[in-house]
Amino acid sequence: HKMAAAAGAEAEAEEEKRLSEGDLESGGDSDDEGDSDDEGDSDSSGDGEDEEKENEAEIQRLEEQLSINAFDYNCHLDLIKLLRQEGELVKLRRARQKMSELFPLTEEIWLDWLKDEIKMASESSDREKVYELFERAVKDYICPEIWLEYAQYSIGGIGQEGGIEKVRSIFERALTAVGLHVTKGTALWEAYREFENAILETAQPAPGSVPSPEQQQVLCSQLEKIHTLFRRQLGIPLLDMEASYAEYEEWSEEPIPETTIRNYKKALQQLEKCKPYEEALLGAETPKLAEYQAYIDFEMKAGDPARIQLIYERALAENCLVPDLWARYNRYLDRQLKVKELVLSAHDRAVRNCPWTVGLWIRYLLAMERHRVDHSIISEMFEKALNAGFIQATDYVDIWQAYLDYLRRRVDFTQDSSKELEELRSAFARAVEYLKQEVEERFSESGDPSCTIMQNWARVEARLCNNMQKARELWDNIMTKGNAKYANMWLEYYNLERAHGDTQHCRKALHRAVQCTSDYPEHVCEVLLTLERIEGTLEDWDAAVQKTENRLARVNEQRAKAAEKEAALAKQEEEKAEQRKQARAEKKASKKAKKTRIGDKRKADDEDEGEWGQEEGKNKINKRHRGEGDGVLPEEDMEVETGLFGRSAPAKTDGPANPKEKASTSRKDIPKVFHDSSKDKVTVFVSNLAYTMAEPEAKLMELFGSCGEVAEIRPVFSNKGTFRGYCYVQFKEEESARQALGLDRTAVEGRPMFVSPCVDKHKNPDFKVFRYSTTLEKHKLFISGLPFSCTKEELEEVCKAHGNVKDIRLVTNRAGKPKGLAYVEYENEAQASQAVLKMDGLTVKDHVIKVMISNPPLRKLPEAGRASTFPAPRQVYGARGKGRTQLSMMPRALQRQSNPVAKAENGMVQNSPATSSEPPAEPRKMSNADFAKMLLKK
């Protein structure tokens, strides 16, 4: 009955298709009843034609884009969707074919494709093509729905020769692949049993007739098949096992065997252990990577290879763009299962899903070599790897090295010459040229500054081919690429020459090394002297000693000159600092004299007002300078801080000419209060505010009131009474201060407001506030070259086509103006890597943007007090150059005064050979504090 129903359904589908085509052909003759709708029909047909033209233009655009970049995944999807909508079956089949050759297709894409092909399959030859398509589909991912569709479709061909056995074969393969699936495996088992029950129904004799011995044998055989299916299913932990057990009890005329009952109970116990992991997967959000990893760890402890493979496949079906997950799966298959077809299939799917990950390609090449795949296939796969579009230049070095290692292992070096050896040498030469041409053109670097590939080539020639002449030529080429100044490169060549060459060439190499090395010449000199001490003659020894002494003398002379130059620069800086201090002292003195003259004038004006007036005037002056309450300061400290850096201004007698000046004058009368460091935990420091902010207290009270009860807001004003752009906000509760930190970077009057913890940097000099990571973040992109007019929404529209965007940050300066840079955070590393491949070089508003994985350059500060034996290497910055925040904001004169002993310890003054003969150092210069004390005493 099942088979008949399936065959009838197919016949109905064919008839429906034929009738629908007939309706379409005769559709114009069925609306003759009225002419009132003709105008409306013409309008709708016109709209349809316009839409059809737009779709055709879009299809042409997508095809052109794919001809430029065939790896544009989303472009493939859009093209397939449009072609299916337009009914372009030939083009649709071709588009799906191209996409399947480049990428593994998802379950949804395969099911749509298969259903379309099934509708068009009318002849037996077409059915075979659908079978082939199913075979390709089940290889991409392990999907229960595709296997179930495959098995049900095969039932339609049961009437062909060997049809029943073919259906059973497909069901058995499906059970092997997904029969252990805890949540979806039951459906496949039930479909298989229903098929066998349908066969049993057809084998039953007619009512009232006696079955022949042959019929009885067929019946018994078919019943045993169904019994076996029930027993196999009940031994596997699947959801709704209880219902399957009850169904077996009802169906079976015999008691259930004890062995089956024991296996069923054991499977139930296993199911209880699996349920927490299945429930976690059911409640988790995509991509569920952590939940799958916990499930994998659980199955790994149990040790069942089939179940481990299945849970890995389930995880990869939802996380197909996670390279680490593919790497762990492939490592398990390589080390544990070691089944050729299974291993190679997994590696192939890994590189098709994550072609930008060089590690997956390397493991694939190793797996093919391990399973003795034909050399031509391995070479073809290597060529595909070169075209995969790696993210870094070093990735190309790694893939070339892996391929060269494979070629080297193929060579029989006992023979003087062979085809494999010539191929190896040709590959080495091609690798060097490829890195020089292709990789440098794309990345502006070869990725192999130390010439490791050429070094390995030289080792192969020297050690395995006994061809030192070729090895020397290679090393000569290596040294001409800027490596002659490094001692370690010369010593590497020396060791090779020492092991496979002769003493003459060793001596020659070391003499050249002494002359050329600039980083560690002492080390090279020591190696040369050691060689001559062991093997050299007296003349060789004398020549080596003279050579090394002359070289070290020149090095010491150069270092002494560098130290003198640095000391002279330091002295110039000290003189400039002294001049600046004197200028500041003169300015302070003139301000003090001016205040005295103003005070004398006020005193003369108040002489006629009497004693009461004099006393009142004194009180006013004292209040302006001292303030009230806990913030009272001595009279001689005329300039005090309102915050950490703000200073009070001298009082003026003349009234302001306008309201703004009046407001500034009124702020100068505000009592000056020191910040209480004991309240740091309930206080935040707010900076980068606009200097023109009229009422900072009211504005900030409005902003920070939502975080909690504000105890006090203390804006900082300059000597003239103008707002300096920062203030202190003190809360009643510590939790409110923590919530206030969330307002960091909030736009206030067109500028980003900075909110940071209130920390005294004099007590905590190492404290830094930077809310963003400065290390490598593989899930985050750095984008440069953006137009300044690009908004966050516009950038998100571009980026979300390549993955789920979690956050976008446009980089601005302190005034809030864009710098053309942005950071885009994706959900995982795979999406970010895919976005780099697709977005790098993209044009946004006539600007070509650069996209790379976020990896800010290191910002190292020199260690104080550390001796410098060799010249400091030139500072190397990252791809984005030297950051502005690497500049020290403290005057250099103050930096030196804060650590006067460092000069002597660094060997720049007292221990320098150039300065050892100079007269004793001058008396110690006064610090800022000493100078201030002297001035105030006067």
Side-chain angles (χ1 to χ4, degrees), residues 315-548:
L316 288 167
E318 296 190 49
N319 299 275
C320 59
L321 298 180
V322 181
D324 290 342
L325 187 59
W326 281 109
R328 290 196 294 270
Y329 182 38
N330 290 337
R331 190 181 304 115
Y332 170 76
L333 296 177
D334 287 335
R335 296 177 180 176
Q336 301 297 327
L337 295 188
K338 302 179 181 180
V339 179
K340 178 179 179 180
E341 292 75 11
L342 187 61
V343 170
L344 295 182
S345 172
H347 279 288
D348 182 69
R349 289 184 291 140
V351 297
R352 289 172 67 199
N353 275 287
C354 307
W356 64 87
T357 308
V358 67
L360 297 178
W361 287 101
I362 293 175
R363 293 188 184 93
Y364 193 8
L365 294 178
L366 290 172
M368 287 193 290
E369 181 184 2
R370 196 177 293 120
H371 290 282
R372 304 184 184 281
V373 176
D374 188 71
H375 172 62
S376 60
I377 298 177
I378 296 179
S379 298
E380 182 182 352
M381 192 57 60
F382 168 71
E383 295 298 332
K384 288 184 179 180
L386 287 182
N387 296 321
F390 298 130
I391 300 174
Q392 299 176 349
T394 54
D395 292 344
Y396 288 94
V397 179
D398 295 338
I399 192 66
W400 266 111
Q401 193 58 65
Y403 183 59
L404 292 169
D405 292 344
Y406 157 71
L407 294 179
R408 195 265 308 162
R409 288 189 285 267
R410 296 182 68 244
V411 179
D412 181 8
F413 289 100
T414 59
Q415 302 178 7
D416 294 337
S417 179
S418 64
K419 178 182 177 182
E420 290 80 7
L421 179 58
E422 294 305 318
E423 184 178 4
L424 174 62
R425 284 172 171 161
S426 175
F428 267 118
R430 184 189 167 203
V432 173
E433 189 66 21
Y434 186 90
L435 295 177
K436 181 180 178 181
Q437 299 291 336
E438 302 289 338
V439 178
E440 280 193 13
E441 181 179 350
R442 178 180 174 188
F443 296 97
S444 300
E445 60 167 325
S446 67
D448 191 15
S450 299
C451 302
T452 54
I453 287 182
M454 292 183 70
Q455 288 189 44
N456 290 331
W457 188 3
R459 293 188 188 103
V460 169
E461 294 289 352
R463 298 177 183 176
L464 302 177
C465 301
N466 298 317
N467 188 354
M468 270 306 299
Q469 184 60 34
K470 180 63 177 178
R472 292 182 186 119
E473 292 176 3
L474 290 169
W475 267 105
D476 185 66
N477 196 0
I478 292 172
M479 291 304 183
T480 59
K481 295 183 180 295
N483 292 305
K485 57 185 177 182
Y486 300 116
N488 66 316
M489 299 297 288
W490 283 107
L491 295 179
E492 186 70 30
Y493 171 48
Y494 166 76
N495 291 330
L496 186 68
E497 193 72 59
R498 188 77 170 152
H500 306 285
D502 52 57
T503 305
Q504 181 181 357
H505 283 91
C506 290
R507 181 177 291 113
K508 183 179 179 181
L510 290 177
H511 276 272
R512 287 182 59 195
V514 169
Q515 191 68 27
C516 300
T517 301
S518 60
D519 56 349
Y520 298 102
E522 292 88 349
H523 194 182
V524 176
C525 292
E526 182 181 350
V527 174
L528 175 58
L529 294 175
T530 302
L531 174 67
E532 301 300 357
R533 180 176 287 112
I534 300 299
E535 300 187 17
T537 62
L538 178 59
E539 290 77 9
D540 295 333
W541 172 261
D542 290 340
V545 170
Q546 183 179 359
K547 184 91 170 180
T548 54

Side-chain angles (χ1 to χ4, degrees), residues 570-586 891-894 896-897 922-928 930-932 934:
K571 188 174 181 180
Q572 290 178 6
E573 292 295 333
E574 288 178 0
E575 291 175 354
K576 291 180 181 179
E578 187 65 27
Q579 292 174 2
R580 287 193 294 268
K581 286 196 293 184
Q582 291 178 0
R584 286 196 297 269
E586 291 174 0
R892 285 170 286 188
L894 296 184
R896 286 193 300 276
Q897 292 292 347
E922 297 177 3
R924 183 179 67 87
K925 299 294 189 301
M926 289 188 297
S927 66
N928 287 350
D930 295 337
F931 188 81
M934 180 190 73

Side-chain angles (χ1 to χ4, degrees), residues 550-672:
N550 291 340
R551 176 58 177 160
L552 293 178
R554 286 196 302 273
V555 169
N556 291 331
E557 183 180 353
Q558 292 171 358
R559 291 173 180 171
K561 288 181 179 179
E564 287 179 5
K565 185 176 180 180
E566 190 170 352
L569 291 174
K571 188 174 181 180
Q572 290 178 6
E573 292 295 333
E574 288 178 0
E575 291 175 354
K576 291 180 181 179
E578 187 65 27
Q579 292 174 2
R580 287 193 294 268
K581 286 196 293 184
Q582 291 178 0
R584 286 196 297 269
E586 291 174 0
K587 186 176 180 180
K588 290 181 181 179
S590 63
K591 285 184 178 180
K592 186 174 182 181
K594 186 177 180 181
K595 293 175 186 176
T596 305
R597 289 196 299 271
I598 294 173
D600 293 342
K601 182 179 179 181
R602 184 184 296 114
K603 185 175 181 181
D605 292 339
D606 294 342
E607 282 181 355
D608 295 334
E609 294 184 8
E611 185 178 353
W612 178 260
Q614 292 176 5
E615 186 67 26
E616 184 179 2
K618 291 179 182 178
N619 290 339
K620 286 184 178 179
I621 295 173
N622 289 339
K623 285 182 180 179
R624 285 171 183 166
H625 291 304
R626 297 186 183 183
E628 296 177 353
D630 297 336
V632 178
L633 300 176
E635 282 189 19
E636 58 269 19
D637 294 337
M638 298 299 293
E639 296 187 6
V640 296
E641 297 179 348
T642 59
L644 288 179
F645 305 104
R647 298 193 176 194
S648 65
K652 292 185 179 180
T653 57
D654 299 333
N658 54 57
K660 190 172 181 180
E661 292 182 2
K662 184 176 181 180
S664 299
T665 305
S666 65
R667 294 190 186 107
K668 290 189 287 185
D669 296 335
I670 297 176
K672 309 303 184 292

Side-chain angles (χ1 to χ4, degrees), residues 32 71 129 177 195 202 216 308 349 359 398 479 504 594 662 691 769 775:
D32 296 335
F71 288 92
K129 292 179 180 178
F195 168 72
T202 59
Q216 190 67 33
I308 294 172
R349 289 184 291 140
D398 295 338
M479 291 304 183
Q504 181 181 357
K594 186 177 180 181
K662 184 176 181 180
Y691 290 178
V769 179
T775 58

Side-chain angles (χ1 to χ4, degrees), residues 198-236:
I199 299 294
L200 179 64
E201 291 293 333
T202 59
Q204 293 286 354
S209 63
V210 178
S212 64
E214 292 80 8
Q215 289 178 326
Q216 190 67 33
Q217 185 177 359
V218 170
L219 284 173
C220 292
S221 174
Q222 189 63 27
L223 284 172
E224 185 60 29
K225 283 184 173 66
I226 299 174
H227 274 289
T228 303
L229 281 177
F230 266 118
R231 293 165 186 168
R232 288 169 60 189
Q233 180 183 355
L234 292 176
I236 299 171

Side-chain angles (χ1 to χ4, degrees), residues 745 771-772 779-783 786 790-812 820-827 835 839:
R745 311 281 168 166
R771 60 180 295 187
Y772 306 108
H779 67 292
K780 187 180 291 185
L781 304 184
F782 174 74
I783 303 178
L786 289 168
C790 181
T791 64
K792 183 176 180 180
E793 291 73 18
E794 291 173 341
L795 182 59
E796 183 178 7
E797 192 67 27
V798 175
C799 297
K800 71 180 183 181
H802 312 296
N804 296 326
V805 178
K806 294 181 63 178
D807 184 40
I808 292 180
R809 177 167 63 92
L810 295 177
V811 182
T812 61
L821 310 174
Y823 288 90
V824 180
E825 182 179 356
Y826 283 92
E827 277 193 349
M839 292 172 57

Side-chain angles (χ1 to χ4, degrees), residues 82-142:
L82 272 177
L83 290 174
R84 194 178 190 212
Q85 180 180 339
E86 291 296 310
E88 297 281 351
L89 300 181
V90 177
K91 289 185 177 180
L92 176 62
R93 182 179 292 167
R94 190 185 308 124
R96 283 168 167 165
Q97 182 67 27
K98 287 183 179 180
M99 186 176 182
S100 66
E101 291 172 358
L102 296 173
F103 304 101
L105 304 186
T106 62
E107 177 183 328
E108 293 77 14
I109 297 175
W110 271 120
L111 288 175
D112 289 341
W113 190 359
L114 289 166
K115 289 176 182 177
D116 290 343
E117 294 292 343
I118 289 172
K119 290 178 182 177
M120 293 184 289
S122 57
E123 301 178 0
S124 58
S125 60
D126 295 333
R127 177 172 288 274
E128 288 300 323
K129 292 179 180 178
V130 176
Y131 282 141
E132 293 176 3
L133 200 60
F134 268 114
E135 288 296 329
R136 291 174 55 191
V138 296
K139 290 179 181 178
D140 274 356
Y141 299 107
I142 292 185

